[in-house]
Amino acid sequence: QFVARDVKKSYWTGDIEIKALDGISLKVAKGDFKMILGPSGSGKTTLMNILGGLDSADSGEIIINLGNGKFKDIRKFTKNELTNYRRMYIGIIFQFYNLIPILTALENIELAARFSGISNPKRKSKEYLSELGLGDKFNRYPNQLSGGEQQRIAIARALVKDPALILADEPTGNLDSVKTNEIYKILKKLSEDYNKTILIVTHDEDMANKYAKEHIHIKDGRLIRNQEKIER
Amino acid sequence: QFVARDVKKSYWTGDIEIKALDGISLKVAKGDFKMILGPSGSGKTTLMNILGGLDSADSGEIIINLGNGKFKDIRKFTKNELTNYRRMYIGIIFQFYNLIPILTALENIELAARFSGISNPKRKSKEYLSELGLGDKFNRYPNQLSGGEQQRIAIARALVKDPALILADEPTGNLDSVKTNEIYKILKKLSEDYNKTILIVTHDEDMANKYAKEHIHIKDGRLIRNQEKIER
Ligand SMILES: Nc1ncnc2c1ncn2[C@@H]1O[C@H](COP(=O)(O)OP(=O)(O)OP(=O)(O)O)[C@@H](O)[C@H]1O
Ligand SMILES: Nc1ncnc2c1ncn2[C@@H]1O[C@H](COP(=O)(O)OP(=O)(O)OP(=O)(O)O)[C@@H](O)[C@H]1O
Ligand SMILES: [Mg+2]
Ligand SMILES: [Mg+2]
């Protein structure tokens, strides 16, 4: 699906350089289901935002397999290619949801669905919300919903687009264990049955071990080891 | 510390009533350390907001022991009493932090510290931030910090006030397991050594079992059982 090579990204506050990503290289195949773990502040969200085309790396390459034999470095996308990439190819579940406050739950999902070009956007938006237990909450605004309910809108919005690559940044932090397991099962099924590529940032090592054989560990903006499921 | 009796709270969307709290009764003693668990949408945040004086119940009583033999129903507080209650008596760690975007990490903590009337507010603000691993981030703005870094500012802000009652609404959802354990240890110590009353909403049943003997379970706005640590 993609190969990231030596990706670097720094933030600057005044003249102090914060190396959020300090040379990350990563190979992810189509249909992979991988967990990304690492301490708070280690660069996981920065990596997700760069892979999702929402932020730009300072250096390195991120070569994407666009299907039909085409490969391209996302850093060389034109403005239009980047917009299409974000709307159709990628489904991102943000750590802090980024819901639009003046749209209802249903409208939030529908907006993403329509931009992604899928068929029957309204019906599918309703189906996803219902599947996530929000069937009686279509017309609520985000500020009329609990933390976990908002998180589920963010999840539905990424999935309804039927994207090739799903980037989930701590998608279950505000959900109880029953719903957390439901989300992981949905994501795992998308990988196994629909060949979607799934990267999940999580702090929950038990869930990581339960659902994925492959874990990626990040610390101080670098990979520390690419390892199999930890046996206990 | 307090006794809550038959507390009810509804939200209305149009003419539909959502019973967020449907008659909750709860007794919490000074120095208690209790976990509150329950499904997403069950009323935990609503309960925290009411106990913290940020939202008002529709009916019921919440009788607080203010120390020096005084007891009062927070629903009968005057405007000034409620302001003091929120600033000095209560430390709340919000599920979504509620940091002030135009203040730095240090300024966010200091504001709460000054309002609470504690001595040496600036020094203590720095100490708490350093203790939580943010010693090199005093002057960053919230949007220049990772999710878990922002969460730790929210934690520091509640603790620096040295409050009698700490209400932590999912305080470690964005933290890795090392930092999560550090936070639980800090909170546990505040209860055991400083006799502070601590209520923690969490979805993490393993942490709940590891740190607290007493769990409170909420579902559909009601208590379902008050139970001891689950043995496995
Ligand atoms: N402003 C509001 N208007 C309408 N309904 C609301 C509002 N705020 C919360 N609710 C509803 O009240 C119920 C309880 O919400 P609350 O935020 O207390 O849940 P919670 O237990 O904290 O959930 P979570 O674990 O997802 O954070 C939910 O069904 C929610 O949809
Ligand atoms: N806009 C910014 N300006 C300055 N520094 C930033 C900015 N955004 C992030 N950082 C820093 O970059 C580093 C990586 O941040 P990132 O958000 O990727 O971490 P993370 O691994 O997602 O952490 P968490 O688990 O807490 O969400 C952190 O040290 C953070 O303080
Ligand atoms: Mg993050
Ligand atoms: Mg909540």
Side-chain angles (χ1 to χ4, degrees), chain B residues 12-222:
Chain B
W12 293 84
T13 53
D15 52 1
I16 300 174
E17 180 181 13
I18 299 138
K19 292 185 183 173
L21 294 182
D22 194 17
I24 288 232
S25 299
L26 191 49
K27 198 184 262 185
V28 176
K30 194 159 170 52
D32 271 358
F33 182 88
K34 293 192 171 181
M35 304 287 186
I36 299 176
L37 295 108
S40 170
S42 54
K44 307 178 298 296
T45 293
T46 305
L47 175 63
M48 289 272 145
N49 287 340
I50 287 173
L51 293 175
L54 296 165
D55 199 358
S56 53
D58 298 331
S59 65
E61 310 174 299
I62 301 146
I63 316 282
I64 296 276
N65 178 357
L66 293 161
N68 55 44
K70 281 182 76 186
F71 289 80
K72 191 154 187 176
D73 185 341
I74 62 181
R75 299 186 68 220
K76 299 195 167 77
F77 274 167
T78 63
K79 196 165 182 302
N80 274 344
E81 284 175 321
L82 188 60
T83 300
N84 285 336
Y85 175 73
R86 279 187 264 186
R87 284 181 178 177
M88 299 179 188
Y89 192 92
I90 295 281
I92 192 163
I93 302 169
F94 295 97
Q95 189 169 5
F96 294 113
Y97 320 161
N98 290 350
L99 300 178
I100 299 172
I102 56 170
L103 296 184
T104 63
L106 181 59
E107 288 164 348
N108 262 281
I109 313 299
E110 256 191 279
L111 189 71
R114 288 181 193 287
F115 271 132
S116 71
I118 57 165
S119 60
N120 295 312
K122 192 173 196 107
R123 177 170 62 77
K124 285 180 183 163
S125 300
K126 290 182 176 181
E127 284 174 12
Y128 261 104
L129 279 176
S130 302
E131 185 168 349
L132 293 174
L134 299 170
D136 58 345
K137 297 178 170 75
F138 287 170
N139 299 321
R140 296 255 203 106
Y141 289 89
N143 68 358
Q144 295 175 321
L145 292 166
S146 79
E149 289 163 350
Q150 292 177 32
Q151 189 155 40
R152 283 177 273 159
I153 299 175
I155 294 168
R157 182 179 56 180
L159 301 188
V160 77
K161 299 202 278 176
D162 197 33
L165 173 60
I166 294 171
L167 304 172
D169 195 351
E170 303 194 35
T172 58
N174 281 304
L175 295 175
D176 50 89
S177 50
V178 171
K179 291 181 187 69
T180 294
N181 276 293
E182 284 171 20
I183 298 303
Y184 275 89
K185 288 194 180 104
I186 289 171
L187 293 173
K188 185 125 199 180
K189 183 172 183 209
L190 287 170
S191 151
E192 293 180 339
D193 296 2
Y194 297 91
N195 216 23
K196 297 203 176 298
T197 309
I198 319 269
L199 294 182
I200 305 173
V201 168
T202 180
H203 282 303
D204 192 335
E205 296 168 29
D206 293 334
M207 284 296 145
N209 285 326
K210 180 175 174 182
Y211 286 97
K213 313 192 241 22
E214 304 202 41
H215 298 175
I216 296 164
H217 286 260
I218 294 182
K219 191 177 198 282
D220 299 324
R222 290 187 220 104

Side-chain angles (χ1 to χ4, degrees), chain A residues 90-153:
Chain A
I90 295 280
I92 193 163
I93 302 169
F94 294 98
Q95 188 169 4
F96 292 114
Y97 320 160
N98 292 350
L99 300 179
I100 299 172
I102 56 171
L103 296 183
T104 63
L106 181 60
E107 289 165 347
N108 262 282
I109 312 300
E110 255 191 280
L111 190 71
R114 288 181 194 287
F115 272 133
S116 70
I118 58 169
S119 60
N120 295 310
K122 192 173 194 107
R123 177 171 62 78
K124 286 180 183 164
S125 300
K126 290 182 176 183
E127 285 174 10
Y128 261 104
L129 278 176
S130 303
E131 186 169 348
L132 292 175
L134 298 170
D136 59 345
K137 297 178 169 75
F138 287 170
N139 299 320
R140 297 255 202 107
Y141 289 89
N143 68 358
Q144 295 175 320
L145 292 166
S146 79
E149 290 164 350
Q150 293 177 31
Q151 189 156 40
R152 283 177 272 159
I153 299 175

